[in-house]
Structure formats: structure tokens, C-alpha cells
């Protein structure tokens, strides 16, 4: 894997250019779907926000959906304890709701009516957010952990990678038990091979990336 030093802003510009290239454009009734995958410590929301800004400057409608808004209720997440690695990998995020409320409506010919979030993990209640219309030609940006290996229909996928040491340093002590889950994710899913773009972000001030790889 070859790395190129780059700034976050330049990365967002180049990703936006890739998505805006006519060769990668969606059909007349289609939308592009981008996944930005990474542990919470990788701060995928920052890259998602920069990319959204660049796309809007190009006149593209954009909707950013963090997977943190699709956590399952605490009674289900903690059914087997608060630090159960299996539950974290397969039971914390409501993937069925993401398919139903986010990916289904953005299929070619879909309604475009996307639910931006479903559950507030702080109050442990439904958010009751209104649906948001993403018109044809728009771009859906989904970001958060454990996005790859689930057959989500991304047109472009980015994996923000942290070494085990960087992950431990940048994760709050109370959440460091999730390091085992991300080690398993690396071993079982191999997100660096699954993604179209890999970003090395051990030092967030000096990221490096692979560029958009040909597949």
C-alpha cells in the first residue's frame, strides 16, 4: 500500500472531484452514496463535513448521516453487558433501519425521503426527526464505525485507519474495551482492502492516503 501525504481539505477536494466526474455520475434518477468508515476516535465526521462543503460548492445536494443516530436502544445494546465485544460488532447499530430509512430511499428511482437519525443514545429515546428530501443527483454521506462488510451499496467507500496504539491513545479510557472489537473488524472484514480509499490518520495533523484506487 503506497501512501501520499495530504491535508484533510485537499483530500475532500479530490474526493469531491472524483464524485463530480461525469464518468462517475449517477443516472438521471440516481444518487451517489459514500461511506466514511472508522472508529469513533478517527473522527469520521470531520472528513464527512469537509466533503459535504466541497460538494455543495459544486452545486451538489448533500445529506450527511452519522450512524450514531442509528444506535439501537440501550436495553438491546447492553443485553449481554456493557462491554460485550460480540454485541458491539453485530448488535449496537440498527443496520435494518439504515437499509430501510437511508439506503432504500436513495436507490435508483427511490423516493429520496431519508430519515437522518432514529435514536438518541443520550436520552435513549426516538429522535422523531422529520424526513429529509435528497433529490436525484444528490450525494448521501454516511459515516461512522463498522460500515464495511455489510453489503451497504456505497459508490465510494473510505476507511480512516488507526494503528492499535493510536486507537488506544485517542479513545477515552472507558471505551478502550472496544479496541478488541476493532481488532476483530480488521481481521475479519479487512476494511483496508474493502475500501476504495484508505486514510492513515495516526497523527490527525498529518494524514496520508492511498488516493482513489481503481477496482
Amino acid at each position: 500500500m503506497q501512501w501520499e501525504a495530504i491535508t484533510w481539505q485537499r483530500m475532500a477536494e479530490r474526493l469531491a472531484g472524483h464524485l463530480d466526474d461525469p464518468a462517475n455520475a449517477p443516472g438521471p434518477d440516481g444518487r451517489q452514496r459514500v461511506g466514511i468508515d472508522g472508529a469513533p476516535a478517527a473522527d469520521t465526521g470531520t472528513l464527512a463535513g469537509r466533503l459535504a462543503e466541497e460538494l455543495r460548492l459544486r452545486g451538489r445536494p448533500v445529506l450527511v448521516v452519522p450512524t450514531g443516530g442509528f444506535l439501537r436502544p440501550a436495553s438491546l445494546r447492553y443485553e449481554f453487558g456493557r462491554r460485550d465485544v460480540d454485541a458491539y460488532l453485530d448488535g449496537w447499530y440498527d443496520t435494518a433501519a439504515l437499509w430501510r430509512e437511508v439506503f432504500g430511499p436513495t436507490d435508483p428511482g427511490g423516493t429520496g425521503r431519508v430519515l437522518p437519525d432514529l435514536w438518541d443514545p443520550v436520552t435513549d429515546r426516538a429522535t422523531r426527526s422529520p424526513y429529509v428530501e435528497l433529490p436525484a443527483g444528490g450525494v448521501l454521506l454516511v459515516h461512522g464505525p463498522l460500515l464495511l462488510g455489510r453489503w451497504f451499496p456505497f459508490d465510494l467507500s473510505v476507511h480512516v485507519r488507526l494503528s492499535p496504539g493510536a486507537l488506544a491513545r485517542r479513545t477515552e479510557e472507558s471505551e478502550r474495551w472496544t479496541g478488541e472489537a476493532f481488532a476483530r473488524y480488521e481481521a475479519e472484514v479487512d476494511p483496508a482492502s474493502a475500501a476504495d480509499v484508505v486514510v492513515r490518520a495516526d497523527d490527525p495533523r498529518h494524514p496520508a492516503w492511498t488516493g482513489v484506487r481503481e477496482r
Side-chain angles (χ1 to χ4, degrees):
M1 192 175 294
Q2 294 191 350
W3 301 101
E4 173 192 353
I6 194 170
T7 65
W8 293 107
Q9 183 59 38
R10 181 60 179 151
M11 191 186 310
E13 292 168 1
R14 288 178 62 177
L15 289 171
H18 174 83
L19 291 165
D20 214 28
D21 187 321
N24 302 315
D29 64 346
R31 301 162 184 85
Q32 289 169 308
R33 295 175 285 197
V34 179
I36 302 179
D37 170 71
D43 190 19
T44 55
T46 294
L47 179 56
R50 287 181 181 268
L51 178 53
E53 289 176 6
E54 286 299 318
L55 288 165
R56 290 181 181 122
L57 288 173
R58 294 166 178 264
R60 302 291 300 277
V62 182
L63 178 61
V64 179
V65 175
T67 57
F70 285 84
L71 282 168
R72 301 176 79 195
S75 60
L76 298 176
R77 298 199 310 273
Y78 303 143
E79 183 177 3
F80 302 103
R82 289 181 173 267
R83 298 189 175 192
D84 186 275
V85 170
D86 290 330
Y88 184 79
L89 285 167
D90 297 318
W92 274 43
Y93 293 91
D94 195 340
T95 55
L98 282 166
W99 276 105
R100 182 180 67 250
E101 305 290 359
V102 177
F103 293 111
T106 56
D107 280 338
T111 64
R113 294 183 70 248
V114 176
L115 189 65
D117 53 56
L118 181 65
W119 199 259
D120 185 334
V122 176
T123 63
D124 202 34
R125 295 174 182 268
T127 57
R128 303 189 184 280
S129 295
Y131 283 86
V132 177
E133 187 82 23
L134 182 65
V139 182
L140 171 72
L141 301 180
V142 180
H143 71 89
L146 311 174
L147 284 175
L148 302 178
R150 299 184 184 276
W151 301 101
F152 288 147
F154 294 125
D155 298 290
L156 180 69
S157 57
V158 180
H159 173 60
V160 184
R161 181 180 185 181
L162 297 178
S163 68
L167 177 63
R169 288 193 304 273
R170 292 168 58 185
T171 300
E172 293 184 14
E173 186 174 355
S174 63
E175 301 299 323
R176 285 182 186 164
W177 64 272
T178 61
E180 182 182 344
F182 286 108
R184 279 183 48 187
Y185 180 60
E186 290 284 338
E188 296 170 8
V189 176
D190 192 8
S193 295
D196 300 304
V197 178
V198 181
V199 180
R200 189 175 64 193
D202 284 5
D203 183 346
R205 300 166 299 178
H206 302 289
W209 78 332
T210 59
V212 182
R213 298 185 293 193
E214 296 292 334
R215 295 222 174 241

